[in-house]
Short mmCIF file of all heavy atoms in Angstrom, two decimals:
data_model
loop_
_atom_site.label_atom_id
_atom_site.label_comp_id
_atom_site.label_asym_id
_atom_site.label_seq_id
_atom_site.Cartn_x
_atom_site.Cartn_y
_atom_site.Cartn_z
N MET A 1 -0.76 26.11 -18.34
CA MET A 1 -0.94 25.19 -17.20
C MET A 1 -0.02 24.04 -17.31
O MET A 1 0.31 23.56 -18.41
CB MET A 1 -2.36 24.66 -17.18
CG MET A 1 -3.38 25.60 -16.70
SD MET A 1 -4.85 24.69 -16.22
CE MET A 1 -5.53 25.85 -15.08
N GLY A 2 0.39 23.51 -16.17
CA GLY A 2 1.32 22.36 -16.14
C GLY A 2 0.57 21.09 -16.43
O GLY A 2 -0.65 20.99 -16.31
N GLN A 3 1.32 20.09 -16.91
CA GLN A 3 0.73 18.81 -17.14
C GLN A 3 0.99 17.90 -15.96
O GLN A 3 2.01 17.98 -15.36
CB GLN A 3 1.34 18.18 -18.42
CG GLN A 3 0.99 18.98 -19.65
CD GLN A 3 1.67 18.33 -20.87
OE1 GLN A 3 2.58 17.53 -20.74
NE2 GLN A 3 1.19 18.65 -22.03
N SER A 4 0.02 17.08 -15.63
CA SER A 4 0.20 16.12 -14.58
C SER A 4 0.27 14.74 -15.17
O SER A 4 -0.36 14.45 -16.17
CB SER A 4 -0.92 16.20 -13.53
OG SER A 4 -2.13 15.83 -14.14
N LYS A 5 1.05 13.92 -14.53
CA LYS A 5 1.17 12.51 -14.96
C LYS A 5 0.48 11.64 -13.94
O LYS A 5 0.62 11.88 -12.75
CB LYS A 5 2.66 12.11 -15.04
CG LYS A 5 3.43 12.86 -16.13
CD LYS A 5 4.87 12.33 -16.13
CE LYS A 5 5.66 13.05 -17.20
NZ LYS A 5 7.06 12.63 -17.21
N PRO A 6 -0.25 10.64 -14.39
CA PRO A 6 -0.86 9.74 -13.43
C PRO A 6 0.17 8.93 -12.67
O PRO A 6 1.31 8.69 -13.20
CB PRO A 6 -1.73 8.79 -14.30
CG PRO A 6 -1.15 8.92 -15.66
CD PRO A 6 -0.48 10.29 -15.77
N LEU A 7 -0.11 8.55 -11.43
CA LEU A 7 0.79 7.71 -10.73
C LEU A 7 0.97 6.43 -11.42
O LEU A 7 0.01 5.82 -11.88
CB LEU A 7 0.23 7.47 -9.31
CG LEU A 7 0.16 8.62 -8.37
CD1 LEU A 7 -0.51 8.23 -7.03
CD2 LEU A 7 1.51 9.21 -8.07
N GLN A 8 2.20 5.97 -11.51
CA GLN A 8 2.46 4.68 -12.14
C GLN A 8 2.19 3.58 -11.15
O GLN A 8 2.45 3.71 -9.95
CB GLN A 8 3.92 4.59 -12.62
CG GLN A 8 4.22 5.57 -13.73
CD GLN A 8 5.62 5.37 -14.25
OE1 GLN A 8 6.35 4.55 -13.77
NE2 GLN A 8 5.95 6.14 -15.27
N SER A 9 1.62 2.48 -11.66
CA SER A 9 1.31 1.39 -10.76
C SER A 9 2.58 0.70 -10.30
O SER A 9 3.57 0.66 -11.02
CB SER A 9 0.39 0.39 -11.46
OG SER A 9 1.08 -0.18 -12.59
N LEU A 10 2.56 0.19 -9.09
CA LEU A 10 3.71 -0.49 -8.53
C LEU A 10 3.66 -1.94 -8.90
O LEU A 10 2.67 -2.61 -8.88
CB LEU A 10 3.70 -0.34 -7.03
CG LEU A 10 3.72 1.07 -6.46
CD1 LEU A 10 3.68 1.05 -4.95
CD2 LEU A 10 4.93 1.83 -6.92
N ASN A 11 4.84 -2.46 -9.27
CA ASN A 11 4.91 -3.87 -9.54
C ASN A 11 5.87 -4.48 -8.52
O ASN A 11 6.30 -3.80 -7.60
CB ASN A 11 5.41 -4.16 -10.98
CG ASN A 11 6.78 -3.52 -11.24
OD1 ASN A 11 7.63 -3.48 -10.40
ND2 ASN A 11 6.91 -2.95 -12.44
N GLY A 12 6.17 -5.75 -8.67
CA GLY A 12 7.00 -6.42 -7.72
C GLY A 12 8.43 -5.91 -7.62
O GLY A 12 9.14 -6.16 -6.60
N GLU A 13 8.90 -5.16 -8.59
CA GLU A 13 10.23 -4.63 -8.61
C GLU A 13 10.31 -3.19 -8.09
O GLU A 13 11.38 -2.63 -8.01
CB GLU A 13 10.80 -4.68 -10.05
CG GLU A 13 10.93 -6.07 -10.60
CD GLU A 13 11.82 -6.98 -9.78
OE1 GLU A 13 12.89 -6.49 -9.38
OE2 GLU A 13 11.46 -8.11 -9.53
N SER A 14 9.17 -2.60 -7.73
CA SER A 14 9.16 -1.23 -7.27
C SER A 14 9.11 -1.17 -5.75
O SER A 14 8.54 -2.03 -5.10
CB SER A 14 7.89 -0.51 -7.81
OG SER A 14 7.95 -0.51 -9.24
N HIS A 15 9.69 -0.06 -5.23
CA HIS A 15 9.75 0.13 -3.80
C HIS A 15 9.47 1.64 -3.53
O HIS A 15 9.79 2.48 -4.31
CB HIS A 15 11.07 -0.24 -3.22
CG HIS A 15 11.49 -1.65 -3.49
ND1 HIS A 15 10.95 -2.71 -2.80
CD2 HIS A 15 12.29 -2.19 -4.43
CE1 HIS A 15 11.47 -3.82 -3.28
NE2 HIS A 15 12.28 -3.54 -4.26
N LEU A 16 8.91 1.86 -2.36
CA LEU A 16 8.71 3.24 -1.92
C LEU A 16 9.81 3.56 -0.88
O LEU A 16 10.09 2.75 -0.01
CB LEU A 16 7.34 3.42 -1.29
CG LEU A 16 6.20 3.40 -2.23
CD1 LEU A 16 4.87 3.45 -1.43
CD2 LEU A 16 6.21 4.47 -3.24
N PHE A 17 10.33 4.77 -0.96
CA PHE A 17 11.46 5.20 -0.05
C PHE A 17 10.97 6.41 0.76
O PHE A 17 10.41 7.30 0.22
CB PHE A 17 12.73 5.55 -0.82
CG PHE A 17 13.47 4.37 -1.21
CD1 PHE A 17 13.16 3.59 -2.28
CD2 PHE A 17 14.63 4.04 -0.47
CE1 PHE A 17 13.91 2.50 -2.64
CE2 PHE A 17 15.37 2.94 -0.84
CZ PHE A 17 15.03 2.14 -1.93
N LEU A 18 11.29 6.36 2.03
CA LEU A 18 11.06 7.51 2.91
C LEU A 18 12.39 8.24 3.00
O LEU A 18 13.44 7.66 3.24
CB LEU A 18 10.66 7.02 4.31
CG LEU A 18 10.33 8.12 5.31
CD1 LEU A 18 9.13 8.89 4.85
CD2 LEU A 18 10.09 7.47 6.65
N VAL A 19 12.39 9.56 2.69
CA VAL A 19 13.60 10.37 2.70
C VAL A 19 13.39 11.48 3.75
O VAL A 19 12.36 12.16 3.76
CB VAL A 19 13.87 10.98 1.35
CG1 VAL A 19 15.05 11.96 1.42
CG2 VAL A 19 14.16 9.87 0.33
N GLY A 20 14.38 11.60 4.65
CA GLY A 20 14.28 12.64 5.66
C GLY A 20 15.65 12.88 6.30
O GLY A 20 16.58 12.06 6.13
N GLN A 21 15.75 13.94 7.06
CA GLN A 21 16.98 14.29 7.69
C GLN A 21 17.08 13.71 9.08
O GLN A 21 16.09 13.77 9.85
CB GLN A 21 17.12 15.84 7.72
CG GLN A 21 18.54 16.31 8.01
CD GLN A 21 18.69 17.77 7.73
OE1 GLN A 21 17.73 18.55 7.80
NE2 GLN A 21 19.91 18.20 7.51
N SER A 22 18.25 13.18 9.44
CA SER A 22 18.45 12.58 10.72
C SER A 22 18.76 13.66 11.78
O SER A 22 19.06 14.80 11.41
CB SER A 22 19.55 11.51 10.70
OG SER A 22 20.86 12.22 10.67
N SER A 23 18.76 13.30 13.01
CA SER A 23 19.10 14.23 14.12
C SER A 23 20.58 14.70 14.07
O SER A 23 20.92 15.69 14.63
CB SER A 23 18.78 13.60 15.49
OG SER A 23 19.62 12.45 15.64
N HIS A 24 21.36 13.96 13.26
CA HIS A 24 22.80 14.34 13.11
C HIS A 24 23.03 15.15 11.85
O HIS A 24 24.18 15.43 11.51
CB HIS A 24 23.67 13.09 13.13
CG HIS A 24 23.66 12.38 14.46
ND1 HIS A 24 24.28 12.84 15.54
CD2 HIS A 24 23.04 11.21 14.81
CE1 HIS A 24 24.09 12.00 16.55
NE2 HIS A 24 23.31 11.04 16.13
N GLY A 25 21.96 15.45 11.13
CA GLY A 25 22.07 16.35 9.94
C GLY A 25 22.29 15.60 8.64
O GLY A 25 22.38 16.25 7.58
N PHE A 26 22.40 14.26 8.67
CA PHE A 26 22.54 13.52 7.41
C PHE A 26 21.17 13.24 6.86
O PHE A 26 20.18 13.26 7.59
CB PHE A 26 23.25 12.18 7.67
CG PHE A 26 24.68 12.39 8.05
CD1 PHE A 26 25.13 12.29 9.34
CD2 PHE A 26 25.64 12.68 7.06
CE1 PHE A 26 26.48 12.44 9.71
CE2 PHE A 26 26.95 12.88 7.41
CZ PHE A 26 27.39 12.74 8.73
N TRP A 27 21.12 12.93 5.55
CA TRP A 27 19.84 12.60 4.91
C TRP A 27 19.76 11.08 4.73
O TRP A 27 20.76 10.45 4.33
CB TRP A 27 19.74 13.28 3.57
CG TRP A 27 19.40 14.74 3.74
CD1 TRP A 27 20.28 15.75 3.96
CD2 TRP A 27 18.09 15.31 3.80
NE1 TRP A 27 19.60 16.97 4.16
CE2 TRP A 27 18.21 16.69 4.06
CE3 TRP A 27 16.80 14.78 3.69
CZ2 TRP A 27 17.19 17.55 4.18
CZ3 TRP A 27 15.71 15.66 3.78
CH2 TRP A 27 15.91 17.04 4.03
N VAL A 28 18.62 10.52 5.08
CA VAL A 28 18.44 9.05 5.03
C VAL A 28 17.38 8.75 4.01
O VAL A 28 16.31 9.41 3.96
CB VAL A 28 17.98 8.54 6.48
CG1 VAL A 28 17.69 7.06 6.40
CG2 VAL A 28 19.07 8.85 7.49
N ALA A 29 17.62 7.77 3.20
CA ALA A 29 16.61 7.25 2.24
C ALA A 29 16.44 5.76 2.60
O ALA A 29 17.39 4.98 2.49
CB ALA A 29 17.09 7.37 0.83
N ARG A 30 15.24 5.41 3.04
CA ARG A 30 15.00 4.03 3.49
C ARG A 30 13.80 3.46 2.81
O ARG A 30 12.68 4.04 2.79
CB ARG A 30 14.75 4.06 5.00
CG ARG A 30 14.53 2.65 5.56
CD ARG A 30 14.22 2.60 7.01
NE ARG A 30 14.94 3.66 7.72
CZ ARG A 30 14.44 4.25 8.77
NH1 ARG A 30 13.26 3.91 9.27
NH2 ARG A 30 15.06 5.24 9.35
N ASP A 31 13.97 2.28 2.27
CA ASP A 31 12.88 1.51 1.63
C ASP A 31 11.84 1.17 2.70
O ASP A 31 12.23 0.70 3.79
CB ASP A 31 13.46 0.19 1.04
CG ASP A 31 12.46 -0.68 0.36
OD1 ASP A 31 11.28 -0.48 0.49
OD2 ASP A 31 12.91 -1.63 -0.30
N LEU A 32 10.61 1.47 2.48
CA LEU A 32 9.54 1.19 3.44
C LEU A 32 9.37 -0.25 3.80
O LEU A 32 8.86 -0.61 4.85
CB LEU A 32 8.22 1.78 3.03
CG LEU A 32 8.16 3.32 2.89
CD1 LEU A 32 6.81 3.76 2.50
CD2 LEU A 32 8.53 3.94 4.23
N GLU A 33 9.91 -1.16 2.92
CA GLU A 33 9.86 -2.61 3.20
C GLU A 33 11.10 -3.08 3.92
O GLU A 33 11.26 -4.24 4.23
CB GLU A 33 9.69 -3.35 1.89
CG GLU A 33 8.37 -3.08 1.21
CD GLU A 33 8.26 -3.82 -0.09
OE1 GLU A 33 9.05 -4.73 -0.39
OE2 GLU A 33 7.32 -3.48 -0.88
N GLY A 34 12.06 -2.14 4.21
CA GLY A 34 13.23 -2.52 4.95
C GLY A 34 14.32 -3.24 4.12
O GLY A 34 15.17 -3.90 4.72
N ARG A 35 14.27 -3.16 2.82
CA ARG A 35 15.23 -3.89 2.01
C ARG A 35 16.50 -3.15 1.72
O ARG A 35 17.53 -3.77 1.52
CB ARG A 35 14.57 -4.28 0.69
CG ARG A 35 13.41 -5.24 0.83
CD ARG A 35 12.85 -5.61 -0.49
NE ARG A 35 11.73 -6.53 -0.32
CZ ARG A 35 11.07 -7.00 -1.34
NH1 ARG A 35 11.32 -6.68 -2.53
NH2 ARG A 35 10.04 -7.78 -1.06
N SER A 36 16.48 -1.81 1.68
CA SER A 36 17.66 -1.05 1.45
C SER A 36 17.57 0.31 2.06
O SER A 36 16.49 0.78 2.36
CB SER A 36 17.96 -0.95 -0.10
OG SER A 36 16.96 -0.23 -0.72
N GLU A 37 18.76 0.91 2.22
CA GLU A 37 18.82 2.20 2.92
C GLU A 37 20.15 2.85 2.52
O GLU A 37 21.11 2.21 2.23
CB GLU A 37 18.82 1.93 4.46
CG GLU A 37 19.04 3.13 5.28
CD GLU A 37 18.99 2.78 6.78
OE1 GLU A 37 19.98 2.20 7.26
OE2 GLU A 37 17.94 3.09 7.41
N GLY A 38 20.12 4.23 2.50
CA GLY A 38 21.32 4.94 2.21
C GLY A 38 21.40 6.16 3.14
O GLY A 38 20.35 6.70 3.51
N ILE A 39 22.61 6.61 3.46
CA ILE A 39 22.84 7.79 4.28
C ILE A 39 23.64 8.74 3.45
O ILE A 39 24.67 8.33 2.90
CB ILE A 39 23.54 7.40 5.59
CG1 ILE A 39 22.73 6.36 6.37
CG2 ILE A 39 23.77 8.64 6.45
CD1 ILE A 39 23.46 5.78 7.54
N PHE A 40 23.17 9.99 3.34
CA PHE A 40 23.80 10.94 2.41
C PHE A 40 24.04 12.30 3.07
O PHE A 40 23.43 12.63 4.10
CB PHE A 40 22.86 11.15 1.22
CG PHE A 40 22.52 9.85 0.53
CD1 PHE A 40 21.43 9.11 0.96
CD2 PHE A 40 23.34 9.34 -0.48
CE1 PHE A 40 21.17 7.89 0.33
CE2 PHE A 40 23.05 8.14 -1.06
CZ PHE A 40 21.96 7.43 -0.67
N ARG A 41 24.91 13.07 2.49
CA ARG A 41 25.22 14.42 3.00
C ARG A 41 24.15 15.45 2.67
O ARG A 41 24.06 16.44 3.34
CB ARG A 41 26.56 14.93 2.43
CG ARG A 41 27.77 14.13 2.97
CD ARG A 41 29.01 14.74 2.43
NE ARG A 41 30.16 13.94 2.83
CZ ARG A 41 30.94 14.25 3.86
NH1 ARG A 41 30.76 15.36 4.53
NH2 ARG A 41 31.96 13.49 4.14
N ASN A 42 23.40 15.20 1.60
CA ASN A 42 22.36 16.20 1.19
C ASN A 42 21.08 15.49 0.67
O ASN A 42 21.11 14.36 0.28
CB ASN A 42 22.93 17.22 0.22
CG ASN A 42 23.42 16.59 -1.08
OD1 ASN A 42 22.70 15.87 -1.72
ND2 ASN A 42 24.66 16.84 -1.44
N GLN A 43 20.04 16.29 0.62
CA GLN A 43 18.77 15.77 0.18
C GLN A 43 18.77 15.32 -1.26
O GLN A 43 18.19 14.32 -1.61
CB GLN A 43 17.67 16.81 0.42
CG GLN A 43 16.27 16.35 0.05
CD GLN A 43 15.23 17.42 0.25
OE1 GLN A 43 15.52 18.61 0.26
NE2 GLN A 43 14.00 16.98 0.35
N LYS A 44 19.47 16.09 -2.09
CA LYS A 44 19.48 15.76 -3.52
C LYS A 44 20.06 14.36 -3.78
O LYS A 44 19.49 13.56 -4.57
CB LYS A 44 20.36 16.79 -4.24
CG LYS A 44 20.48 16.55 -5.70
CD LYS A 44 21.37 17.65 -6.38
CE LYS A 44 21.57 17.35 -7.83
NZ LYS A 44 22.42 18.37 -8.46
N GLU A 45 21.13 13.97 -3.09
CA GLU A 45 21.70 12.66 -3.27
C GLU A 45 20.79 11.55 -2.69
O GLU A 45 20.68 10.52 -3.27
CB GLU A 45 23.10 12.57 -2.64
CG GLU A 45 24.11 13.46 -3.32
CD GLU A 45 24.31 13.12 -4.76
OE1 GLU A 45 24.33 11.92 -5.11
OE2 GLU A 45 24.44 14.06 -5.61
N ALA A 46 20.13 11.84 -1.58
CA ALA A 46 19.22 10.90 -1.00
C ALA A 46 18.04 10.62 -1.91
O ALA A 46 17.62 9.44 -2.14
CB ALA A 46 18.69 11.37 0.36
N VAL A 47 17.49 11.67 -2.53
CA VAL A 47 16.36 11.49 -3.47
C VAL A 47 16.82 10.78 -4.72
O VAL A 47 16.14 9.93 -5.24
CB VAL A 47 15.76 12.89 -3.79
CG1 VAL A 47 14.81 12.79 -4.96
CG2 VAL A 47 15.06 13.47 -2.54
N ARG A 48 18.02 11.10 -5.20
CA ARG A 48 18.56 10.42 -6.41
C ARG A 48 18.70 8.93 -6.13
O ARG A 48 18.30 8.13 -6.98
CB ARG A 48 19.93 11.02 -6.75
CG ARG A 48 20.51 10.38 -8.04
CD ARG A 48 21.86 10.93 -8.38
NE ARG A 48 21.69 12.34 -8.72
CZ ARG A 48 22.71 13.22 -8.79
NH1 ARG A 48 23.92 12.85 -8.55
NH2 ARG A 48 22.44 14.45 -9.12
N PHE A 49 19.18 8.57 -5.01
CA PHE A 49 19.31 7.15 -4.64
C PHE A 49 17.90 6.50 -4.55
O PHE A 49 17.72 5.43 -5.15
CB PHE A 49 19.99 7.02 -3.27
CG PHE A 49 19.95 5.66 -2.64
CD1 PHE A 49 20.85 4.64 -3.10
CD2 PHE A 49 19.03 5.34 -1.69
CE1 PHE A 49 20.82 3.39 -2.52
CE2 PHE A 49 19.02 4.07 -1.12
CZ PHE A 49 19.89 3.10 -1.55
N ALA A 50 16.99 7.16 -3.93
CA ALA A 50 15.63 6.60 -3.77
C ALA A 50 14.96 6.40 -5.14
O ALA A 50 14.33 5.36 -5.38
CB ALA A 50 14.76 7.47 -2.89
N LEU A 51 15.10 7.35 -6.01
CA LEU A 51 14.54 7.21 -7.38
C LEU A 51 15.21 6.10 -8.12
O LEU A 51 14.52 5.34 -8.85
CB LEU A 51 14.69 8.56 -8.14
CG LEU A 51 13.76 9.66 -7.63
CD1 LEU A 51 14.15 10.96 -8.36
CD2 LEU A 51 12.29 9.35 -7.88
N SER A 52 16.48 5.96 -8.02
CA SER A 52 17.22 4.91 -8.72
C SER A 52 16.86 3.55 -8.18
O SER A 52 16.57 2.62 -8.94
CB SER A 52 18.74 5.14 -8.56
OG SER A 52 19.44 4.03 -9.06
N GLU A 53 16.79 3.37 -6.91
CA GLU A 53 16.46 2.11 -6.21
C GLU A 53 14.99 1.79 -6.32
O GLU A 53 14.59 0.61 -6.34
CB GLU A 53 16.92 2.10 -4.81
CG GLU A 53 18.43 2.09 -4.60
CD GLU A 53 19.08 0.78 -4.99
OE1 GLU A 53 18.62 -0.23 -4.53
OE2 GLU A 53 20.10 0.83 -5.72
N GLY A 54 14.16 2.83 -6.29
CA GLY A 54 12.72 2.63 -6.23
C GLY A 54 12.10 2.06 -7.47
O GLY A 54 11.10 1.37 -7.45
N GLY A 55 12.72 2.33 -8.61
CA GLY A 55 12.23 1.79 -9.91
C GLY A 55 11.08 2.49 -10.56
O GLY A 55 10.52 2.03 -11.57
N HIS A 56 10.66 3.65 -10.01
CA HIS A 56 9.58 4.43 -10.65
C HIS A 56 9.68 5.89 -10.15
O HIS A 56 10.25 6.17 -9.12
CB HIS A 56 8.20 3.80 -10.36
CG HIS A 56 7.86 3.74 -8.92
ND1 HIS A 56 7.18 4.72 -8.26
CD2 HIS A 56 8.14 2.75 -7.98
CE1 HIS A 56 7.03 4.34 -6.95
NE2 HIS A 56 7.63 3.16 -6.80
N PRO A 57 9.09 6.80 -10.91
CA PRO A 57 9.22 8.24 -10.57
C PRO A 57 8.50 8.66 -9.30
O PRO A 57 8.69 9.77 -8.81
CB PRO A 57 8.70 8.96 -11.81
CG PRO A 57 7.86 7.98 -12.53
CD PRO A 57 8.45 6.65 -12.20
N ASN A 58 7.64 7.81 -8.78
CA ASN A 58 6.85 8.15 -7.57
C ASN A 58 7.41 7.41 -6.35
O ASN A 58 6.68 7.17 -5.45
CB ASN A 58 5.38 7.84 -7.79
CG ASN A 58 4.80 8.57 -8.99
OD1 ASN A 58 4.98 9.77 -9.14
ND2 ASN A 58 4.15 7.82 -9.88
N ALA A 59 8.66 7.10 -6.35
CA ALA A 59 9.26 6.22 -5.33
C ALA A 59 9.59 6.98 -4.03
O ALA A 59 9.87 6.33 -3.02
CB ALA A 59 10.52 5.59 -5.84
N VAL A 60 9.52 8.30 -4.02
CA VAL A 60 10.03 9.06 -2.91
C VAL A 60 8.92 9.73 -2.10
O VAL A 60 8.05 10.43 -2.64
CB VAL A 60 11.02 10.13 -3.41
CG1 VAL A 60 11.57 10.94 -2.25
CG2 VAL A 60 12.14 9.52 -4.16
N LEU A 61 8.96 9.51 -0.78
CA LEU A 61 8.07 10.24 0.17
C LEU A 61 9.00 11.01 1.04
O LEU A 61 9.84 10.49 1.77
CB LEU A 61 7.31 9.22 1.02
CG LEU A 61 6.42 8.24 0.23
CD1 LEU A 61 5.90 7.18 1.18
CD2 LEU A 61 5.27 8.96 -0.40
N ILE A 62 8.90 12.37 0.99
CA ILE A 62 9.73 13.23 1.83
C ILE A 62 9.07 13.38 3.18
O ILE A 62 7.87 13.74 3.26
CB ILE A 62 9.93 14.62 1.20
CG1 ILE A 62 10.52 14.55 -0.20
CG2 ILE A 62 10.77 15.51 2.11
CD1 ILE A 62 11.92 13.99 -0.24
N SER A 63 9.75 13.00 4.23
CA SER A 63 9.19 13.04 5.60
C SER A 63 9.31 14.45 6.18
O SER A 63 10.35 15.02 6.16
CB SER A 63 9.92 12.02 6.48
OG SER A 63 9.47 12.14 7.80
N PRO A 64 8.24 14.93 6.76
CA PRO A 64 8.30 16.18 7.46
C PRO A 64 8.98 16.05 8.83
O PRO A 64 9.36 16.99 9.45
CB PRO A 64 6.82 16.66 7.63
CG PRO A 64 6.10 15.32 7.65
CD PRO A 64 6.84 14.36 6.77
N ASN A 65 9.15 14.83 9.28
CA ASN A 65 9.79 14.49 10.55
C ASN A 65 11.19 13.91 10.27
O ASN A 65 11.48 13.53 9.18
CB ASN A 65 8.98 13.47 11.34
CG ASN A 65 7.55 13.93 11.56
OD1 ASN A 65 7.34 15.08 11.96
ND2 ASN A 65 6.61 13.09 11.34
N GLY A 66 11.97 13.82 11.31
CA GLY A 66 13.30 13.21 11.15
C GLY A 66 13.24 11.75 10.81
O GLY A 66 12.27 11.07 11.18
N VAL A 67 14.18 11.27 10.09
CA VAL A 67 14.32 9.87 9.74
C VAL A 67 15.71 9.42 10.18
O VAL A 67 16.75 9.93 9.73
CB VAL A 67 14.18 9.59 8.20
CG1 VAL A 67 14.38 8.18 7.88
CG2 VAL A 67 12.78 10.10 7.75
N GLU A 68 15.74 8.49 11.13
CA GLU A 68 17.01 7.96 11.62
C GLU A 68 17.43 6.74 10.88
O GLU A 68 16.54 5.89 10.55
CB GLU A 68 16.92 7.68 13.12
CG GLU A 68 16.58 8.91 13.99
CD GLU A 68 17.61 10.02 13.84
OE1 GLU A 68 18.80 9.74 13.70
OE2 GLU A 68 17.20 11.23 13.86
N PRO A 69 18.68 6.57 10.59
CA PRO A 69 19.14 5.33 9.90
C PRO A 69 18.96 4.10 10.80
O PRO A 69 19.05 4.21 12.02
CB PRO A 69 20.62 5.59 9.64
CG PRO A 69 21.01 6.69 10.54
CD PRO A 69 19.78 7.48 10.89
N SER A 70 18.73 2.99 10.19
CA SER A 70 18.54 1.71 10.94
C SER A 70 19.87 0.99 11.08
O SER A 70 19.97 0.01 11.85
CB SER A 70 17.51 0.81 10.26
OG SER A 70 18.06 0.31 9.03
N TYR A 71 20.91 1.43 10.35
CA TYR A 71 22.21 0.79 10.38
C TYR A 71 22.12 -0.66 10.08
O TYR A 71 22.79 -1.55 10.71
CB TYR A 71 22.94 1.05 11.71
CG TYR A 71 23.16 2.52 11.91
CD1 TYR A 71 22.45 3.20 12.90
CD2 TYR A 71 24.07 3.23 11.20
CE1 TYR A 71 22.65 4.56 13.10
CE2 TYR A 71 24.30 4.57 11.38
CZ TYR A 71 23.57 5.25 12.37
OH TYR A 71 23.81 6.57 12.53
N GLY A 72 21.25 -1.07 9.14
CA GLY A 72 21.13 -2.45 8.70
C GLY A 72 20.27 -3.31 9.53
O GLY A 72 20.02 -4.49 9.24
N MET A 73 19.76 -2.81 10.68
CA MET A 73 18.94 -3.62 11.54
C MET A 73 17.60 -4.00 10.96
O MET A 73 17.02 -5.02 11.30
CB MET A 73 18.81 -2.98 12.89
CG MET A 73 20.14 -2.82 13.57
SD MET A 73 20.08 -2.20 15.25
CE MET A 73 19.22 -3.49 16.10
N GLY A 74 17.06 -3.16 10.06
CA GLY A 74 15.78 -3.42 9.45
C GLY A 74 15.88 -3.89 8.01
O GLY A 74 14.90 -3.99 7.31
N ILE A 75 17.13 -4.16 7.57
CA ILE A 75 17.25 -4.52 6.16
C ILE A 75 17.58 -6.01 6.07
O ILE A 75 18.37 -6.54 6.78
CB ILE A 75 18.47 -3.73 5.58
CG1 ILE A 75 18.16 -2.21 5.65
CG2 ILE A 75 18.74 -4.12 4.15
CD1 ILE A 75 19.30 -1.33 5.24
N HIS A 76 16.82 -6.67 5.13
CA HIS A 76 17.04 -8.12 4.96
C HIS A 76 17.45 -8.36 3.54
O HIS A 76 17.38 -7.62 2.70
CB HIS A 76 15.85 -8.97 5.29
CG HIS A 76 14.52 -8.30 5.39
ND1 HIS A 76 14.04 -7.75 6.54
CD2 HIS A 76 13.59 -7.99 4.42
CE1 HIS A 76 12.85 -7.28 6.30
NE2 HIS A 76 12.56 -7.33 5.04
#
């Protein structure tokens, strides 16, 4: 049987990222707080960015729906 790890608690340095494919076929990784965003050619790179920026192994939420880039409009 596989081992499961408990969810790590989030601290002030952790962020959750929504990752999904845009209508133009690119993959978008967006911080749910609107602090950062990346646009990528494939899902692997988008997830890698989200994990790196998120600060914890549970930082990524894969969206079943499309995710469109905000082009900096929601990032502060």
Side-chain angles (χ1 to χ4, degrees):
M1 284 198 156
Q3 296 179 342
S4 63
K5 294 181 180 179
L7 292 176
Q8 293 186 358
S9 62
L10 301 178
N11 59 38
E13 298 299 317
S14 298
H15 303 282
L16 291 175
F17 279 79
L18 184 63
V19 173
Q21 197 167 23
S22 75
S23 60
H24 295 287
F26 292 102
W27 285 86
V28 177
R30 183 181 327 145
D31 179 348
L32 293 180
E33 295 178 13
R35 295 183 182 179
S36 64
E37 175 179 73
I39 302 171
F40 304 89
R41 291 184 185 259
N42 60 54
Q43 183 182 19
K44 180 180 176 181
E45 293 301 319
V47 169
R48 182 181 295 166
F49 169 81
L51 288 171
S52 172
E53 291 289 312
H56 59 92
N58 303 310
V60 180
L61 302 169
I62 303 295
S63 175
N65 303 315
V67 176
E68 298 301 325
S70 69
Y71 300 107
M73 298 186 64
I75 299 173
H76 19 267

